[in-house]
Structures are given as C-alpha cells and as structure tokens.
Amino acid sequence: MSKSITFALNGVVQKTTCRPDMTVLEWLRGEALLRGTKEGCAEGDCGACSVLVKRVGDEKYISANSCIMLMGQMEGGALLTVEGLAASGPDGHVVQQLMAENGSSQCGFCTPGIVTSLAGLLDKNPNPNESEIHDALAGNLCRCTGYRPIVEAAEAAVKANPVELPLPQMADAAAMVGEDGCRFFLPNSLKELLELRAAKPKATLLAGGTDLSLEVAHAKARWDETILTRNVAELRAIKEAKTHIVFGGAVTWQAALPLLQTHWPSFATLVRRFGSTQIRSMGTIAGNIGNASPIGDGAPSLLALDAVLTLASSAGEREVPLNDFFLDYRKSALKSDEIIRSITVPLPTKNTHFRTYKISKRYDQDISTVCGAFSLEVDGDIITKARIAYGGMAATSMRCKKAEALLIGKPLNSATITAAQKAILETFSPMSDMRGTAKYRATVAVNLLDRLALDLAGETIEVMAL
C-alpha cells in the first residue's frame, strides 16, 4: 500500500501524492511543469496530448492520450513525453530532427503529439510502410491540414534507422495507491480482483478508461475508489483454439487487432476507424462491451459473431451470450460483484461471410450514426445461418432476429433483401440526435443490407486491410 504513485518519467523515477484519478495531462502540465504535451479536445480525439507509456505487461512503449489516462494507471509504469524524446540525442529524437528539417511543424500545437506517435511507431516497427504511418497518425489531428510534410518526415526517419527507445527499470506496482477519499486498487491476480470486487461493489471498475475517463477529463468527476483490471495477467491472455478465440477481459483492441485482421478483416477495418493507436492501445474489448453504450462500435460485430461472455465473481463463473447481456440503455446483466473475465468468439467457417459497416460524419475517430454487422453462412446460394446486428438504432446494440429468420433457407436476392429490410424497419425505432435523424438512421440501416449483397456479389470494393 502506498499513498504515493511511483513511476519513471523520461527515465527518472518519480513519486507523487496527487489524486490517482487526476489525468496524466493535468499532472504533466501542472506538478511536472512539462508543457510540451498539449490539451486540445480533452476526450482522446485530437492527439495533441499524446505521450508514450509502458505499463505492466507491455513489452515496449505504446502511444496513449494523456488527457483521458489517469495517474493511478501509471503506478509501476513508465512515461515518456516530447521533452524526454528531445533529451534522447544532441538534436533530439530522429523524428524531431527530420520534422524540423522538413518544415513539418506548422502552428506547432499538434506537433509534440505527432512526434510521440511517430516515435512510438518506429520503436515497434522500424520499417513501416506508408499505410502504417498514416494509421499511426490517424489519432493526431492537424488543423493546419498539412499532413504531407509530416508523412515525408516519417518516411525519412525510417531511412535513418532510428534506435529503440531505452526502457527504464520499473518497480513492481503497489497493490493500492492514494488515501481516504481517493484510493486506486491494482490487483495483480484474478483472485485478488474478484475479492476486491466483492468487497467494493460500488467502486469504479476501470479497464482502459478511454470512455469512463471522460467523466474526469470533461465533467471533473472524482472517484472515491477505483479498481484497475489491467495488471491481472489472466485477463491479458488471448487463447486460440480450433473453433474459437478467447480474449481476456483486459485484452486491448490493439492486442486483438492481428487476429481480427486474420479472421475478420472487415472487423479489423472497423476497429482502426473507431479507435486510433492511442485509443486501441488502452481501450479493451471488455470495457467497450461493459459500458453498454448503444453506440459502442465493437458490440454489433461481436453480436453478429455470436460472442459469449464469461462473467466471474468470487462465487464462481457463468456464461452469458452477448445477445442476452444488454438489458437497456447503459444497463447490462453484469452483477455488482462480477467482472467480464473473457469474451469467446467462434471462428468463421469456409462458408461464413462477415461484413461490418460504420456510418459516421468523419471517417476516422468519430462516433457512429449507425453501425451494422452481418454474418451469413451459405450452402451454395442458400443462406443457412444469419446474424444481423446494429448499433445506434436502439437503446442498446441489438440483433434483428426477425430479419435473420427471413433470410435463412433463401438466396440473397432482391425479394429476400426487401423482406428483411421491412423487418428491420419494423424492429427498430431509432431516435434523432445531432448525429442523424431517425429517418436517416432507418434509411441507412436498410441500405446497408443492399451494400452487403453488393459486396458479396463482388460489385463493390471493401477496403479491409492496411
């Protein structure tokens, strides 16, 4: 137990007694007086606050948004800012050198975040291609709009053979940091986590925090007690079997992405769109499900793929199909003493066709107006199994079982599609909000079934991979 939070900052061990629920950005610009890291949106969208972090279980630094990362999450970890990169050589990090030489910095506000994102990319992948560079920069918005010289500087940095970022010696994370009024618990075993959850059912259960931490960043919420799931090794595990994959409850989207790309390329494309590298490296699959948001982009795909959750408590475990997990707006079947231990996703067969489509105002890093996911199994021209799920169309992400039933046993022709579309309109009563009217959502939802048919017929091009 410790009142202070201990971690390495730019290679030097730090101890701070700040509140564990303070954002890393607030601490950096305040107590640490490191103001190269900027605040733009305060919601993990623009990337101006990007830093590099290494936490328990990470092999290398990852890029993360410091505006929605909490200081308690840094216990036992390491943090590298743009100032730390500048100290890595006589002229700074190679990315900094080449950004300056290439005139890649414009107003300069977003530049520190861009530098850290590119340095993190090159640390993990010293020879990225242009698509991978663009993917690394997807979470860094530049209002001056000059991305070309930034990409050119990144490409020049690749040719310069950048050295790996040095990793400092990290101390073991304490089991608890903070004091009365704000305690942050960091169990390192599943047993400890479940015992804590049973004893503190009202504590905030924190995975990556890419959604929950908005309460702190925007609303200045304060949490009396928080339980972090990240340090539990069992929850970071991914197990592959012949018929399915089991993703632990603390597996991040970034860790899952290679397997999604292998088995469900369309799902992988969706994940890259709804989460930048900074978000994917922190946000977890279980967290995306557990918040029970009607616009959580992972849920429709996992519903269409027949995912099953294993919910665990100190009393034991139970399996709940994801289809039965969402009860109402922001309400789920998760009991107060339970956690999402794992998510099991059946592997596709050779006859499975899966597509997911996200409709949003901006291509990258935007909240969906409608997200649709479709999984069909076919025998020749006949559909033998169908799963259709939508987000943004109801109080929860949900399947349209009526439309599914109309597809089974029939070919995917115009008559079948028309009948299924009618069922979709009868099932959902979407709302109107700033992202779209109810009429627009309904129109998009049925049109996505047309898009599916065109895709499967080879009449459209679906970009699924880098």
Side-chain angles (χ1 to χ4, degrees):
M1 304 293 180
S2 173
K3 288 185 178 181
S4 62
I5 300 166
T6 304
F7 64 103
L9 172 64
N10 295 331
V12 180
V13 174
Q14 301 283 318
K15 288 182 179 290
T16 177
T17 55
C18 72
R19 287 181 63 102
D21 61 358
M22 174 185 283
T23 69
V24 171
L25 176 62
E26 185 179 357
W27 184 85
L28 283 173
R29 294 184 59 81
E31 183 177 327
L33 297 177
L34 295 175
R35 291 169 179 162
T37 307
K38 310 299 184 185
E39 179 177 320
C41 64
E43 59 183 26
D45 196 22
C46 73
C49 71
S50 298
V51 294
L52 297 175
V53 298
K54 184 181 185 301
R55 305 156 299 158
V56 173
D58 291 330
E59 293 183 2
K60 287 181 172 289
Y61 282 108
I62 62 169
S63 183
N65 296 118
S66 61
C67 71
I68 53 172
M69 183 167 56
L70 304 184
M71 286 300 293
Q73 292 173 279
M74 288 310 307
E75 168 62 22
L79 173 62
L80 189 60
T81 68
V82 68
E83 292 89 350
L85 290 172
S88 64
D91 296 312
H93 189 276
V94 64
V95 171
Q96 292 168 310
Q97 299 172 36
L98 293 169
M99 288 274 288
E101 292 174 10
N102 200 53
S104 305
S105 178
Q106 290 145 89
C107 81
F109 192 86
C110 65
T111 303
I114 289 171
V115 165
T116 56
S117 292
L118 290 177
L121 168 67
L122 295 175
D123 191 48
K124 291 188 289 290
N125 179 5
N127 191 32
N129 58 36
E130 185 176 351
S131 293
E132 290 166 331
I133 291 171
H134 280 285
D135 182 58
L137 291 171
N140 294 88
L141 304 183
C142 174
R143 292 189 67 180
C144 300
T145 71
Y147 293 100
R148 180 186 56 77
I150 296 170
V151 174
E152 287 176 348
E155 291 172 335
V158 172
K159 296 176 182 178
N161 297 318
V163 297
E164 291 186 16
L165 297 172
L167 291 172
Q169 186 68 32
M170 295 166 60
D172 292 336
M176 188 277 291
V177 293
E179 52 190 336
D180 289 345
C182 186
R183 294 182 182 273
F184 210 99
F185 299 92
L186 301 97
N188 58 24
S189 73
L190 183 60
K191 182 176 182 292
E192 290 177 16
L193 172 60
L194 297 179
E195 289 174 350
L196 264 173
R197 193 58 179 155
K200 301 179 181 296
K202 293 184 179 180
T204 300
L205 193 64
L206 187 67
T210 55
D211 182 42
L212 279 182
S213 295
L214 289 174
E215 297 177 10
V216 177
H218 272 190
K220 304 302 180 184
R222 288 293 179 252
W223 299 335
D224 292 339
E225 293 184 321
T226 303
I227 302 173
L228 183 71
T229 65
R230 165 71 199 180
N231 292 5
V232 178
E234 297 101 311
L235 298 187
R236 297 196 306 271
I238 300 176
K239 299 178 181 178
E240 298 180 65
K242 289 184 178 180
T243 59
H244 60 272
I245 299 176
V246 181
F247 298 99
V251 170
T252 64
W253 287 107
Q254 187 68 13
L257 195 55
L259 285 172
L260 299 184
Q261 181 64 54
T262 297
H263 299 290
W264 307 278
S266 185
F267 195 0
T269 297
L270 176 78
V271 170
R272 291 190 185 93
R273 286 187 60 189
F274 79 69
S276 63
T277 300
Q278 294 94 318
I279 296 296
R280 298 194 306 258
S281 296
M282 296 292 292
T284 64
I285 303 174
N288 190 253
I289 294 169
N291 64 20
S293 169
I295 48 174
D297 279 329
S301 290
L302 292 169
L303 281 168
L305 294 173
D306 277 340
V308 176
L309 307 182
T310 298
L311 308 182
S313 71
S314 56
E317 296 183 352
R318 62 188 179 114
E319 290 191 349
V320 176
L322 184 58
N323 188 60
D324 299 330
F325 182 74
F326 301 118
L327 303 181
D328 203 343
Y329 178 76
R330 296 282 188 176
K331 294 183 179 180
S332 72
L334 191 69
K335 297 178 181 178
S336 61
D337 64 341
E338 288 182 321
I339 65 158
I340 299 176
R341 191 198 192 292
S342 62
I343 304 98
T344 300
V345 185
L347 287 169
T349 69
K350 63 180 181 180
N351 296 322
T352 301
H353 300 282
F354 175 82
R355 296 289 190 279
T356 181
Y357 309 109
K358 175 186 173 77
I359 306 300
S360 55
K361 291 185 176 181
R362 189 176 70 236
Y363 184 83
D364 283 319
Q365 327 310 321
D366 202 4
I367 295 174
S368 288
T369 302
V370 175
C371 184
F374 309 87
S375 181
L376 303 181
E377 289 188 16
V378 297
D379 183 1
D381 292 332
I382 302 301
I383 299 168
T384 59
K385 182 179 179 181
R387 294 290 183 269
I388 299 173
Y390 287 100
M393 291 288 290
T396 69
S397 294
M398 62 181 286
R399 281 170 48 194
C400 186
K401 295 184 178 181
K402 187 174 181 180
E404 294 170 358
L406 290 170
L407 293 178
I408 295 173
K410 300 173 184 175
L412 193 64
N413 56 28
S414 59
T416 306
I417 291 171
T418 298
Q421 289 173 326
K422 182 180 179 182
I424 290 169
L425 294 175
E426 291 171 350
T427 300
F428 295 99
S429 298
M431 64 180 289
S432 295
D433 61 18
M434 62 183 292
R435 286 181 288 275
T437 65
K439 182 178 180 180
Y440 175 76
R441 283 188 161 99
T443 301
V444 166
V446 297
N447 285 349
L448 289 182
L449 200 55
D450 286 321
R451 172 62 188 270
L452 173 70
L454 291 172
D455 269 355
L456 298 188
E459 296 183 29
T460 61
I461 299 175
E462 173 73 355
V463 179
M464 298 184 192
L466 289 174

